[in-house]
Amino acid sequence: MHKHMPHAPKQVISDLQIFGGRPAFAEKLHVGRPNIGNRQWFADRVNEIFERKWLTNNGPFVDEFEKRIAELTGVKHCIAICNATIALEIAIRALGLKGEVIVPSFTFVATAHALQWQEITPVFCDIDPQTHTIDPNQLETLITPRTTGIIAVNLFGRNCEIARLEEIATRRNLKLLFDSAHAFGCSYQGRMIGGFGDAEVFSFHATKFVNAFEGGAIVTNNDDLAHTARLMQNFGFTTYDQIACVGTNGKMSEVSAAMGLTNMESMDDFIAINRQHHKQYAKELADLSGVTVLSNDEEEKCNYQYVVMEIDASNTLVTRDELMQILHHENVLARRYFYPGCHRMKPYNSSALSLPETEKLSERVLSLPTGTSITPADITAICRIIRLVVSNGREVSEKLRAERP
Ligand SMILES: Cc1ncc(COP(=O)(O)O)c(C=O)c1O
């Protein structure tokens, strides 16, 4: 029996765990549970590391990982970094950003932190309601004499309006960096993500569909930028005792690169599974009024690593948070990525700032479990719960409110 084998399908709302039923899943189903490639190949690489006794400092696996990423994305330079947050920080510094940088608020907080950590002010921009990525029209209105750059985010592996952003950056003489933490293996207008703007950053964190335990990379076609970023990730060392610039320790370890290489070898399989899962969720929720599964452009390559559902509570009568709470009780750990928007988070909280599209969307989104640890039967069971809750939205919501202490 599969360890996630759900119990008998729930028929009525009193079957929901939150109202006294048994949880649908015996074990917790996570969003972003790691995909793990061929364990033997990984073990062989780890043995090689031990044989070589070369654990870090730009070892052969890091070198190979960088080459594979550059090859896959068609980008001239790749610098592997210990994680994407540090990769963003280094790229920001190597690009010479200062003053103000425009970023979407609807992103993971690391995008903003990477700026604020260096005392650069993130200026939060709203999103376009169609693409859910930075709104180029509003962006232009936020440019001031202090603005030095833009960090756009290819959120959930869905593309920003890249051509427009490149046009604005060129015309307004601004640097353009893409936070493509979610977009490894994706394409835009037939070209792989990685080669746009001045530079792009990928994440290989454990939750990303290709992971290196922790990991990131800066990719760029700019020779000077690549040179500076490579110096900065290794304390600014040019030779063993010469320092060219202020730097940090952003190096990726050999064991991370071994994991990254191993998982890249299974990348096509991971994408095929994610794509199948995405299709299944979309199909099983297709006719459910008030619920939309965000789609991806089928003309482009996509990693399908996020299944994001939007809930219109005026239609479902049950809120996103109520649905999330119910799912959590069923052991389905759906996540409200990215609530509440960086501009409403404590370090950035500006009560004066209103970003209506970000605020609206962050109240509606819910990311659902996918990846190699989820089965089609799990998805059917999850969709049945969502259907049961949404098609009885008013009753569920009233019952929840009545039972709330
Ligand atoms: C949009 C975005 N940017 C940056 C990061 C930071 O990546 P890392 O965890 O590799 O530092 C993440 C998440 O993990 C992310 O989702």
Side-chain angles (χ1 to χ4, degrees), residues 81-88 106-112 153-156 179-182 201-208 213-217 306 338:
I81 305 286
C82 55
N83 61 56
T85 307
I86 303 289
L88 283 168
F106 193 71
T107 179
F108 182 61
V109 72
T111 320
V153 184
N154 289 311
L155 201 81
F156 304 138
D179 176 343
S180 296
H182 300 176
V201 163
F202 293 125
S203 171
F204 302 106
H205 180 254
T207 53
K208 302 299 183 288
F213 295 109
E214 288 269 4
Y306 293 93
F338 287 95

Short mmCIF file of all heavy atoms in Angstrom, two decimals, residues 81-88 106-112 153-156 179-182 201-208 213-217 306 338, ligand 1:
data_model
loop_
_atom_site.label_atom_id
_atom_site.label_comp_id
_atom_site.label_asym_id
_atom_site.label_seq_id
_atom_site.Cartn_x
_atom_site.Cartn_y
_atom_site.Cartn_z
N ILE A 81 26.84 29.36 -6.63
CA ILE A 81 26.88 30.08 -5.35
C ILE A 81 26.18 29.21 -4.30
O ILE A 81 25.35 28.36 -4.64
CB ILE A 81 26.16 31.45 -5.48
CG1 ILE A 81 26.74 32.29 -6.64
CG2 ILE A 81 26.15 32.24 -4.19
CD1 ILE A 81 28.09 32.92 -6.40
N CYS A 82 26.50 29.44 -3.03
CA CYS A 82 25.98 28.58 -1.96
C CYS A 82 24.45 28.62 -1.82
O CYS A 82 23.85 27.67 -1.35
CB CYS A 82 26.64 28.94 -0.63
SG CYS A 82 26.49 30.69 -0.21
N ASN A 83 23.82 29.70 -2.19
CA ASN A 83 22.35 29.76 -2.26
C ASN A 83 21.95 30.98 -3.10
O ASN A 83 22.82 31.82 -3.43
CB ASN A 83 21.70 29.79 -0.86
CG ASN A 83 22.10 31.00 -0.05
OD1 ASN A 83 21.93 32.14 -0.49
ND2 ASN A 83 22.65 30.77 1.12
N ALA A 84 20.69 31.07 -3.43
CA ALA A 84 20.26 32.16 -4.33
C ALA A 84 20.22 33.52 -3.64
O ALA A 84 20.35 34.55 -4.30
CB ALA A 84 18.89 31.83 -4.92
N THR A 85 20.03 33.52 -2.33
CA THR A 85 20.00 34.81 -1.62
C THR A 85 21.36 35.48 -1.71
O THR A 85 21.47 36.67 -2.05
CB THR A 85 19.57 34.60 -0.14
OG1 THR A 85 18.34 33.87 -0.15
CG2 THR A 85 19.40 35.90 0.59
N ILE A 86 22.41 34.71 -1.43
CA ILE A 86 23.78 35.25 -1.54
C ILE A 86 24.09 35.54 -3.02
O ILE A 86 24.77 36.53 -3.33
CB ILE A 86 24.81 34.26 -0.95
CG1 ILE A 86 24.49 33.94 0.52
CG2 ILE A 86 26.24 34.80 -1.07
CD1 ILE A 86 24.72 35.05 1.51
N ALA A 87 23.58 34.73 -3.92
CA ALA A 87 23.78 34.98 -5.36
C ALA A 87 23.17 36.34 -5.74
O ALA A 87 23.79 37.13 -6.47
CB ALA A 87 23.18 33.87 -6.19
N LEU A 88 21.98 36.63 -5.22
CA LEU A 88 21.36 37.93 -5.49
C LEU A 88 22.22 39.05 -4.90
O LEU A 88 22.47 40.06 -5.57
CB LEU A 88 19.95 38.00 -4.88
CG LEU A 88 18.83 37.26 -5.63
CD1 LEU A 88 17.58 37.18 -4.76
CD2 LEU A 88 18.50 37.95 -6.96
N PHE A 106 5.26 41.17 -4.65
CA PHE A 106 4.74 39.80 -4.67
C PHE A 106 5.87 38.84 -5.05
O PHE A 106 6.04 38.46 -6.21
CB PHE A 106 3.57 39.69 -5.65
CG PHE A 106 2.79 38.41 -5.50
CD1 PHE A 106 1.99 38.19 -4.39
CD2 PHE A 106 2.87 37.41 -6.45
CE1 PHE A 106 1.29 37.01 -4.24
CE2 PHE A 106 2.17 36.22 -6.31
CZ PHE A 106 1.38 36.02 -5.21
N THR A 107 6.67 38.49 -4.06
CA THR A 107 7.81 37.59 -4.26
C THR A 107 8.21 37.04 -2.90
O THR A 107 7.74 37.52 -1.86
CB THR A 107 9.00 38.33 -4.92
OG1 THR A 107 10.10 37.42 -5.07
CG2 THR A 107 9.48 39.52 -4.11
N PHE A 108 9.13 36.09 -2.91
CA PHE A 108 9.70 35.62 -1.66
C PHE A 108 10.56 36.75 -1.10
O PHE A 108 11.21 37.49 -1.85
CB PHE A 108 10.54 34.36 -1.92
CG PHE A 108 11.12 33.78 -0.67
CD1 PHE A 108 10.31 33.34 0.36
CD2 PHE A 108 12.49 33.65 -0.52
CE1 PHE A 108 10.84 32.79 1.51
CE2 PHE A 108 13.04 33.10 0.63
CZ PHE A 108 12.22 32.67 1.65
N VAL A 109 10.57 36.86 0.21
CA VAL A 109 11.19 38.02 0.87
C VAL A 109 12.68 38.17 0.56
O VAL A 109 13.24 39.28 0.66
CB VAL A 109 10.90 37.98 2.39
CG1 VAL A 109 11.72 36.88 3.08
CG2 VAL A 109 11.11 39.33 3.04
N ALA A 110 13.35 37.09 0.13
CA ALA A 110 14.79 37.17 -0.16
C ALA A 110 15.09 38.19 -1.24
O ALA A 110 16.17 38.80 -1.24
CB ALA A 110 15.32 35.80 -0.57
N THR A 111 14.17 38.38 -2.18
CA THR A 111 14.41 39.35 -3.26
C THR A 111 14.63 40.75 -2.66
O THR A 111 15.55 41.47 -3.05
CB THR A 111 13.22 39.38 -4.25
OG1 THR A 111 12.73 38.07 -4.47
CG2 THR A 111 13.61 40.03 -5.57
N ALA A 112 13.79 41.10 -1.71
CA ALA A 112 13.91 42.41 -1.05
C ALA A 112 15.07 42.44 -0.07
O ALA A 112 15.84 43.41 -0.02
CB ALA A 112 12.60 42.75 -0.33
N VAL A 153 11.09 39.37 -11.15
CA VAL A 153 11.04 37.98 -10.67
C VAL A 153 10.19 37.15 -11.64
O VAL A 153 9.03 37.48 -11.88
CB VAL A 153 10.44 37.92 -9.24
CG1 VAL A 153 10.47 36.49 -8.71
CG2 VAL A 153 11.18 38.86 -8.30
N ASN A 154 10.78 36.10 -12.17
CA ASN A 154 10.02 35.16 -13.01
C ASN A 154 9.32 34.18 -12.06
O ASN A 154 9.76 33.04 -11.87
CB ASN A 154 10.95 34.44 -13.98
CG ASN A 154 11.44 35.36 -15.07
OD1 ASN A 154 10.66 36.08 -15.70
ND2 ASN A 154 12.75 35.39 -15.30
N LEU A 155 8.25 34.68 -11.49
CA LEU A 155 7.60 34.00 -10.39
C LEU A 155 6.90 32.71 -10.82
O LEU A 155 6.20 32.70 -11.83
CB LEU A 155 6.56 34.96 -9.79
CG LEU A 155 6.15 34.63 -8.38
CD1 LEU A 155 7.17 35.15 -7.39
CD2 LEU A 155 4.79 35.21 -8.08
N PHE A 156 7.03 31.68 -10.02
CA PHE A 156 6.42 30.37 -10.28
C PHE A 156 6.85 29.83 -11.65
O PHE A 156 6.12 29.05 -12.27
CB PHE A 156 4.88 30.44 -10.25
CG PHE A 156 4.29 30.99 -8.97
CD1 PHE A 156 3.22 31.89 -9.00
CD2 PHE A 156 4.79 30.60 -7.72
CE1 PHE A 156 2.66 32.37 -7.82
CE2 PHE A 156 4.22 31.09 -6.54
CZ PHE A 156 3.16 31.98 -6.60
N ASP A 179 15.46 37.74 -10.86
CA ASP A 179 15.42 36.69 -9.85
C ASP A 179 14.64 35.55 -10.49
O ASP A 179 13.41 35.58 -10.56
CB ASP A 179 14.74 37.21 -8.58
CG ASP A 179 14.59 36.14 -7.52
OD1 ASP A 179 14.71 34.95 -7.86
OD2 ASP A 179 14.31 36.50 -6.35
N SER A 180 15.40 34.57 -11.00
CA SER A 180 14.78 33.44 -11.68
C SER A 180 14.89 32.18 -10.82
O SER A 180 15.04 31.07 -11.32
CB SER A 180 15.44 33.23 -13.05
OG SER A 180 15.20 34.37 -13.86
N ALA A 181 14.79 32.41 -9.51
CA ALA A 181 14.87 31.29 -8.55
C ALA A 181 13.89 30.17 -8.90
O ALA A 181 14.16 29.00 -8.63
CB ALA A 181 14.59 31.80 -7.13
N HIS A 182 12.74 30.54 -9.50
CA HIS A 182 11.72 29.52 -9.82
C HIS A 182 11.79 29.06 -11.27
O HIS A 182 10.97 28.25 -11.67
CB HIS A 182 10.31 30.12 -9.64
CG HIS A 182 10.01 30.60 -8.26
ND1 HIS A 182 8.84 31.24 -7.94
CD2 HIS A 182 10.73 30.55 -7.11
CE1 HIS A 182 8.84 31.56 -6.67
NE2 HIS A 182 9.98 31.16 -6.14
N VAL A 201 19.54 35.02 -11.68
CA VAL A 201 19.92 34.18 -10.54
C VAL A 201 18.97 33.00 -10.44
O VAL A 201 17.75 33.16 -10.55
CB VAL A 201 19.90 35.03 -9.24
CG1 VAL A 201 19.89 34.15 -8.00
CG2 VAL A 201 21.11 35.97 -9.20
N PHE A 202 19.53 31.80 -10.25
CA PHE A 202 18.73 30.59 -10.03
C PHE A 202 18.89 30.13 -8.58
O PHE A 202 19.91 30.41 -7.95
CB PHE A 202 19.22 29.44 -10.92
CG PHE A 202 19.01 29.66 -12.40
CD1 PHE A 202 20.09 29.57 -13.28
CD2 PHE A 202 17.76 29.93 -12.91
CE1 PHE A 202 19.90 29.75 -14.65
CE2 PHE A 202 17.57 30.12 -14.29
CZ PHE A 202 18.64 30.03 -15.15
N SER A 203 17.88 29.40 -8.12
CA SER A 203 18.00 28.76 -6.80
C SER A 203 17.97 27.24 -6.97
O SER A 203 17.17 26.71 -7.74
CB SER A 203 16.85 29.17 -5.88
OG SER A 203 16.87 28.38 -4.70
N PHE A 204 18.82 26.57 -6.20
CA PHE A 204 18.80 25.11 -6.14
C PHE A 204 18.55 24.67 -4.69
O PHE A 204 19.11 23.68 -4.21
CB PHE A 204 20.12 24.53 -6.69
CG PHE A 204 20.38 24.96 -8.11
CD1 PHE A 204 21.35 25.91 -8.41
CD2 PHE A 204 19.60 24.46 -9.15
CE1 PHE A 204 21.57 26.33 -9.71
CE2 PHE A 204 19.81 24.87 -10.46
CZ PHE A 204 20.79 25.81 -10.74
N HIS A 205 17.73 25.44 -4.01
CA HIS A 205 17.33 25.10 -2.64
C HIS A 205 16.57 23.77 -2.65
O HIS A 205 15.97 23.39 -3.67
CB HIS A 205 16.44 26.22 -2.08
CG HIS A 205 16.01 25.95 -0.68
ND1 HIS A 205 14.72 25.56 -0.37
CD2 HIS A 205 16.70 25.98 0.48
CE1 HIS A 205 14.63 25.38 0.94
NE2 HIS A 205 15.82 25.63 1.48
N ALA A 206 16.57 23.09 -1.52
CA ALA A 206 15.92 21.77 -1.41
C ALA A 206 14.49 21.76 -1.93
O ALA A 206 14.00 20.73 -2.41
CB ALA A 206 15.96 21.32 0.05
N THR A 207 13.80 22.89 -1.83
CA THR A 207 12.40 22.93 -2.28
C THR A 207 12.27 23.15 -3.79
O THR A 207 11.17 23.07 -4.32
CB THR A 207 11.64 24.06 -1.59
OG1 THR A 207 12.39 25.27 -1.79
CG2 THR A 207 11.45 23.82 -0.11
N LYS A 208 13.35 23.49 -4.46
CA LYS A 208 13.27 23.74 -5.90
C LYS A 208 13.34 22.40 -6.65
O LYS A 208 13.91 21.44 -6.14
CB LYS A 208 14.42 24.66 -6.35
CG LYS A 208 14.42 26.01 -5.62
CD LYS A 208 13.13 26.79 -5.88
CE LYS A 208 13.12 28.16 -5.23
NZ LYS A 208 12.97 28.14 -3.76
N PHE A 213 20.81 20.51 -2.33
CA PHE A 213 20.55 20.72 -0.90
C PHE A 213 20.26 22.21 -0.70
O PHE A 213 19.13 22.60 -0.52
CB PHE A 213 21.73 20.27 -0.01
CG PHE A 213 22.01 18.80 -0.08
CD1 PHE A 213 23.12 18.31 -0.70
CD2 PHE A 213 21.12 17.90 0.52
CE1 PHE A 213 23.36 16.94 -0.75
CE2 PHE A 213 21.35 16.53 0.48
CZ PHE A 213 22.48 16.05 -0.17
N GLU A 214 21.31 23.01 -0.71
CA GLU A 214 21.23 24.47 -0.80
C GLU A 214 22.06 24.82 -2.03
O GLU A 214 23.09 24.20 -2.28
CB GLU A 214 21.87 25.16 0.41
CG GLU A 214 21.12 25.06 1.71
CD GLU A 214 20.15 26.22 1.96
OE1 GLU A 214 19.99 27.09 1.10
OE2 GLU A 214 19.56 26.21 3.06
N GLY A 215 21.66 25.84 -2.75
CA GLY A 215 22.49 26.22 -3.90
C GLY A 215 21.87 27.33 -4.70
O GLY A 215 20.67 27.60 -4.60
N GLY A 216 22.71 27.99 -5.45
CA GLY A 216 22.24 29.06 -6.34
C GLY A 216 23.25 29.24 -7.44
O GLY A 216 24.31 28.59 -7.47
N ALA A 217 22.93 30.13 -8.38
CA ALA A 217 23.88 30.43 -9.46
C ALA A 217 23.58 31.81 -10.02
O ALA A 217 22.42 32.24 -10.05
CB ALA A 217 23.80 29.39 -10.57
N TYR A 306 5.47 24.64 -9.56
CA TYR A 306 4.44 25.14 -8.64
C TYR A 306 3.06 24.90 -9.24
O TYR A 306 2.84 25.18 -10.42
CB TYR A 306 4.60 26.65 -8.38
CG TYR A 306 5.87 26.96 -7.62
CD1 TYR A 306 7.05 27.29 -8.29
CD2 TYR A 306 5.89 26.91 -6.23
CE1 TYR A 306 8.22 27.55 -7.58
CE2 TYR A 306 7.06 27.17 -5.52
CZ TYR A 306 8.21 27.49 -6.21
OH TYR A 306 9.36 27.75 -5.50
N PHE A 338 2.56 34.17 -2.20
CA PHE A 338 3.46 34.78 -1.26
C PHE A 338 2.68 35.83 -0.47
O PHE A 338 2.51 36.94 -0.94
CB PHE A 338 4.63 35.45 -2.00
CG PHE A 338 5.59 34.43 -2.54
CD1 PHE A 338 5.48 33.98 -3.83
CD2 PHE A 338 6.55 33.89 -1.70
CE1 PHE A 338 6.36 33.02 -4.31
CE2 PHE A 338 7.43 32.92 -2.19
CZ PHE A 338 7.34 32.49 -3.48
C1 LIG B 1 11.71 34.20 -5.70
C2 LIG B 1 12.81 33.71 -4.81
N1 LIG B 1 13.97 34.39 -4.77
C3 LIG B 1 14.99 33.98 -4.00
C4 LIG B 1 14.91 32.86 -3.22
C5 LIG B 1 16.05 32.49 -2.34
O1 LIG B 1 16.59 31.27 -2.69
P1 LIG B 1 17.55 30.48 -1.70
O2 LIG B 1 16.64 29.73 -0.78
O3 LIG B 1 18.33 29.56 -2.61
O4 LIG B 1 18.42 31.45 -1.00
C6 LIG B 1 13.72 32.10 -3.25
C7 LIG B 1 13.54 30.91 -2.46
O5 LIG B 1 13.82 30.07 -1.99
C8 LIG B 1 12.64 32.54 -4.04
O6 LIG B 1 11.49 31.87 -4.05
#
